[in-house]
Each structure stands twice: as C-alpha cells, then as structure tokens.
Amino acid sequence: MSTPVVSATAPANDPSFSNVWDELVWRGSVHVSTDPEALRAVLGEGPITYYCGFDPTAPSLHLGNLVQLIVMRRLQLAGHRPLGLVGGSTGLIGDPRPSAERTLNTRETVEEWVQRLRAQVERFLSFDGENAARIVNNLDWTAPLSAIDFLREVGKHFRVGTMLKKDAVSARLNSEAGISYTEFSYQILQGLDYLELYRQYGCVLQTGGSDQWGNLTSGTDLIHRVEGVSVHAIGTPLITNSDGTKFGKSEGNAVWLDAEMCSPYRMYQFWLNTDDADVIDRLKVFTFLTREEIDRYAQQVQAEPFRRAAQKRLALEVTALVHGLEAAEAVVAASEALFGQGDLTALDAATLRAAIDELPNAEIEPDMTVAQALVATGLVSSLSEARRAVAQGGVSLDGERVADESATIHAGLPGGVSIIRRGKKTLAGLVPRG
C-alpha cells in the first residue's frame, strides 16, 4: 500500500473557509457557545488570545482531550494565540463527576501529572512566531491566595443559586453521594482562571467540552461582573458513536495519548475499526484533511465500503498526529505484515510486541510444537483439531505455511516472538516466557 501524505505532519486549516469559526461549525466542533455572531466576528477581525484547560486527574490525556487539542491547533493555525492551561490547582480539587466524589490525589502525584500533561499539550501547539503558544499553570495564581482573599475577592461575585443550577452540581445534589464543598467550589476556581488569563494576557475565549459548560460560563460571568466586558466560550460536543455507545473506550478502557498506556498500534487499530456510519464525522473532527478530501472519502464509503479507505486514512492521520509519522508508518507496516501483506522479520521489536499484545497469545514453552501452540493460544480447542488444521494446509507460522504439526516453535521474529495463523484472518502471538 502506498502511504499517503499525512496532513498531520504539517497541518493546515482548510483554505475553502475564510473564517475559522465556519470551519469549526462545519467540522461539528461547536455544540454550544456564547453569541455565535459575535464569536464569528471576533475570530475574523484579528488575532485573539484563547485558552483551554487540562486537569491532571490521570497521568495522560485521552481522546476526549484530543478534541480540545485539535480545536486549539485549528485556532492557532488561523492566527490566534493559544494558552494551554494545565491545572496544578484544579487538579488538586477535581471537577464534580456525575456519579460520586473524586479521590483526591497527593500533591506529589498531581505535580508529576502536571509535567506529563504539559509535555503532551506542547506537542500539539507551535511555540514559534507572532502567535506562539504559552503554557500556564493555575497554581501560580491560586497558591498565593489566602482563604480570606479568595472569599473576599472572588467568592463574593458568585451566587449560590446560580451555582446550584449547574448541571454537574445538580446531578450530584440529586444523587446519594451528594457533593462536598470542595468540589462545589471547583467552578469558582475555573472562573478565576479565566479572569486571571483575561487580565494577564487579554484572553477572550475559552474552549472545552460541552459537559463543562457550567464551568466555562462561570468564567464569562465572572469577567462580566468584575471587568464589565463580554468574553466568549465554546463547548465542543461529546463524541458518541452512531449506535449511541460512548466514544473513546476500547474494551472498557480509555484510549490514552501516552504511548506507554496505549501503544501506537492499539491507537491505530482503534481508529481502523471505526464504523462506516461514523468515519466521515471522525475525519472532520480529528484530522486536518480538507473538505474536498473528506467529501471524496464520503463517496468512497458509499461506493466501495469494503475497501475501508476512509478508516485507513483516519487511523493513519490520528496515529501520526498523536505519536508521529514514523510510529504511524511502523504500525501500518505491522498491521499489513500480520495479515500477509508484508515482511514480519522487517518489523521493529517494540511495534511487533505491541501488535501481539492485542492478539490472543501464549508463552512459548520449551520444545513447543505448532499443534501445542494452536491449542495454547485458543486457535483450536484440541490437539486433534490442530492436526486436522495443519493437514488441511490452513496453518502458518511467522508467515510460512506449516506442513508438520510436530514442528517446534522457533520464535524467529524480532524480540524472540512468533505469529501463528489459522486460516486467513485468525491470528495469535507467541511470546517468550516471563
């Protein structure tokens, strides 16, 4: 397969849109906002400063955060100035979840995660030129505040009745868990962030998920009360699959942006498995392909869905955006080699092992035969079934057809592993013991 030029390596906004607001709307990246007409005007008039916040409630960002990172990148490509906020203070508190109170992490843990998230955010922004990005930490302005100063200078501008109406708060108030004053105060801290960034950098736009709308508007309301000016907020939609299931989950686990928590191979396979009904919307939100390019893929999905061209491009684009083009090309090669379209021995050991981890696999035992390996990996249920499969010519080891079920596993692939196949598409991995 010839590898297409990956736009993620040098992303650019679609030239068919004269205003980045129109592009965000077309891509489905706006679910709710403050005054849309005013927002379109301010985004078209000249460079503005905007921000998005990321709380260190885990050691990595995930696909939900990727939506925000891409929106930030689109706005920067349009000439606007990004502020990436990593919440050293809000991460110590945690925004209210709909179900139950968060477990508070230690200060040391939060500080470690702040640094990890900062490094991830930095990969998606440019720190050069007139609209260079800046990373900020809200601990810098909240740590010096005493409780008295916080209540007098910030708390007095918030009305409890309004705070109680926020969706996240009301959901918790109506639950058995209730809500602590700590989490109830989260929206005040986020409002303070926006006020500080407005004062320090002239920031007039905040982006975030639509489920955070109550927190986003706490900042716009606070700035209006204190400074007497109107600023803006954009809430992106929560991405769901066409069947109504939650997007961004793979076998019950979040798809993380950290390669150690979710390998590039697993990331690629996640996107490759996108349903036909969802793939065009995903191309709009998660790639920098132009409207013209995406329209072509939409036609291909209708005319030749079996080729899965849109899914392959989506998987390549997003994997390259998150992990780099070299890693993306490596997992494409691994994916093709596993299914008989490439040289397994040419793959690097780390990528091959990541691929095997996504397959049924078993440890290699001393003098293990092909028949025993078929049973151990679950490709067959018994040794007699394994012998029949080999006799019928339907078994291969490391890309070579097996004629003798008593042949031993030689683990000749990079990293001392082997790939055993039954039929065309049923694969399993064999890995060293320990």
Side-chain angles (χ1 to χ4, degrees):
M1 182 186 87
S2 61
T3 302
V5 175
V6 182
S7 65
T9 61
N13 280 355
D14 189 338
S16 67
F17 294 96
S18 60
N19 189 306
V20 67
W21 171 257
D22 297 332
E23 181 171 359
L24 291 174
V25 171
W26 177 79
R27 289 184 180 275
S29 297
V30 180
H31 176 74
V32 63
S33 72
T34 49
D35 189 336
E37 292 184 7
L39 251 175
R40 188 181 190 280
V42 75
L43 288 171
E45 288 171 356
I48 66 166
T49 299
Y50 63 97
Y51 96 95
C52 184
F54 304 90
D55 275 348
T57 53
S60 173
L61 299 175
H62 51 73
L63 289 190
N65 303 122
L66 183 59
V67 175
Q68 306 308 321
L69 292 167
I70 291 175
V71 168
M72 292 188 76
R73 184 62 175 145
R74 294 195 202 284
L75 289 167
Q76 187 178 30
L77 288 168
H80 303 294
R81 297 180 292 267
L83 297 170
L85 184 149
V86 182
S89 65
T90 43
L92 290 167
I93 301 302
D95 63 315
R97 294 186 300 180
S99 54
E101 192 87 3
R102 290 183 183 273
T103 300
L104 297 183
N105 294 304
T106 66
R107 292 179 181 272
E108 293 75 19
T109 296
V110 171
E111 174 56 29
E112 178 190 346
W113 291 354
V114 162
Q115 298 307 318
R116 294 182 63 153
L117 266 59
R118 174 177 182 139
Q120 289 184 330
V121 172
E122 287 176 344
R123 295 208 307 265
F124 291 85
L125 302 173
S126 171
F127 291 80
D128 299 318
E130 294 182 356
N131 65 330
R134 184 189 298 265
I135 304 295
V136 295
N137 185 339
N138 56 19
L139 191 63
D140 292 342
W141 54 81
T142 53
L145 274 179
S146 70
I148 294 298
D149 290 339
F150 177 71
L151 293 173
R152 283 177 58 86
E153 298 174 14
V154 185
K156 69 177 180 180
H157 296 292
F158 286 81
R159 298 295 174 264
V160 171
T162 302
M163 295 174 69
L164 292 172
K165 293 177 183 178
K166 305 293 186 181
D167 289 343
V169 173
S170 61
R172 284 283 294 281
L173 285 173
N174 294 322
S175 70
E176 293 183 5
I179 187 169
S180 69
Y181 181 76
T182 298
E183 290 194 357
F184 182 63
S185 301
Y186 181 91
Q187 60 185 286
I188 301 180
L189 289 174
Q190 187 162 333
L192 174 61
D193 290 344
Y194 202 167
L195 176 61
E196 285 296 319
L197 295 179
Y198 171 79
R199 286 172 169 172
Q200 292 186 40
Y201 305 105
C203 181
V204 294
L205 172 63
Q206 180 183 186
T207 69
S210 58
D211 60 333
Q212 293 289 311
W213 188 244
N215 293 327
L216 298 178
T217 55
S218 69
T220 60
D221 293 344
L222 179 61
I223 292 172
H224 190 266
R225 283 178 178 270
V226 175
E227 302 292 341
V229 298
S230 295
V231 294
H232 299 282
I234 294 174
T236 60
L238 299 182
I239 309 295
T240 57
N241 296 320
S242 57
D243 61 4
T245 57
K246 188 171 183 178
F247 168 77
K249 298 287 184 179
S250 177
E251 298 180 357
N253 298 312
V255 179
W256 303 100
L257 305 189
D258 188 307
E260 295 180 359
M261 298 174 66
C262 176
S263 70
Y265 183 85
R266 182 178 164 216
M267 170 76 73
Y268 181 83
Q269 293 297 320
F270 172 83
W271 293 102
L272 196 61
N273 290 327
T274 301
D275 192 89
D276 287 345
D278 297 316
V279 67
I280 299 305
D281 286 341
R282 300 292 183 265
L283 284 170
K284 289 180 179 180
V285 172
F286 290 98
T287 78
F288 289 84
L289 299 184
T290 65
R291 177 163 50 180
E292 181 182 358
E293 289 174 301
I294 292 173
D295 285 345
R296 286 201 299 268
Y297 280 112
Q299 294 171 10
Q300 287 181 292
V301 170
Q302 292 295 321
E304 299 177 308
F306 59 92
R307 296 190 184 279
R308 299 189 68 78
Q311 283 88 346
K312 291 176 182 177
R313 187 63 186 272
L314 173 66
L316 181 62
E317 289 284 331
V318 182
T319 306
L321 182 65
V322 175
H323 296 296
L325 181 57
E326 184 177 349
E329 290 177 334
V331 298
V332 170
S335 183
E336 292 180 345
L338 286 175
F339 290 94
Q341 300 174 21
D343 184 3
L344 285 168
T345 62
L347 301 178
D348 70 270
T351 301
L352 182 57
R353 183 58 187 263
I356 286 177
D357 287 343
E358 300 301 311
L359 300 172
N361 58 73
E363 291 186 343
I364 300 172
E365 301 289 343
D367 300 320
M368 174 183 266
T369 66
V370 169
Q372 290 170 333
L374 286 167
V375 175
T377 55
L379 295 188
V380 299
S381 58
S382 65
L383 287 174
S384 59
E385 185 181 354
R387 296 187 189 102
R388 285 196 299 272
V390 171
Q392 292 167 359
V395 176
S396 64
L397 180 68
D398 299 340
E400 300 292 334
R401 181 167 293 181
V402 177
D404 180 5
E405 82 270 4
S406 62
T408 57
I409 304 300
H410 46 73
L413 296 182
V417 301
S418 277
I419 299 290
I420 192 166
R421 179 199 314 270
R422 182 188 181 192
K424 292 183 178 180
K425 295 185 178 181
T426 307
L427 306 174
L430 294 163
V431 300
R433 296 187 68 180

